[in-house]
Amino acid sequence: MSAGESEYRIARFRDRLAREDTAELGVRVEVRGEAVLLTGTVPTAAGRDEILRVAEVELEGIPVRHDLLVACADPPDRPEELL
């Protein structure tokens, strides 16, 4: 795969992340050598899984690494104690 083709596919992946159901603008897509690194925080584990599924399809043949964190938006299970 040529460098130009890889760059095109990565740009298409970034665009797809921003516009489709995922609409994840907080995910950073960086080229690191021959691999692509995805970093950021997503609201749900299902959202993270969908991003990784889209990456697998769009970036087939390009190694993908990720450090995607799932934000915990659950309410606290006990009141905060102030000292």
Side-chain angles (χ1 to χ4, degrees):
M1 171 181 328
S2 71
E5 181 183 352
S6 294
E7 290 174 15
Y8 170 77
R9 291 174 59 202
I10 292 167
R12 187 173 67 187
F13 173 66
R14 283 183 177 124
D15 182 56
R16 188 168 173 187
L17 277 184
R19 67 179 161 78
E20 290 196 2
D21 294 338
T22 53
E24 285 298 336
L25 299 175
V27 174
R28 289 176 300 285
V29 181
E30 302 174 36
V31 177
R32 296 280 176 98
E34 297 293 320
V36 171
L37 175 65
L38 308 177
T39 58
T41 303
V42 295
T44 65
R48 179 193 58 209
D49 294 345
E50 177 63 12
I51 290 167
L52 295 176
R53 186 195 67 75
V54 171
E56 185 178 310
V57 170
E58 290 289 334
L59 303 174
E60 182 180 356
I62 301 172
V64 175
R65 310 279 185 261
H66 73 90
D67 187 14
L68 296 173
L69 303 174
V70 177
C72 181
D74 297 335
D77 59 351
R78 58 185 160 71
E80 181 180 3
E81 294 182 29
L82 300 176
L83 301 175

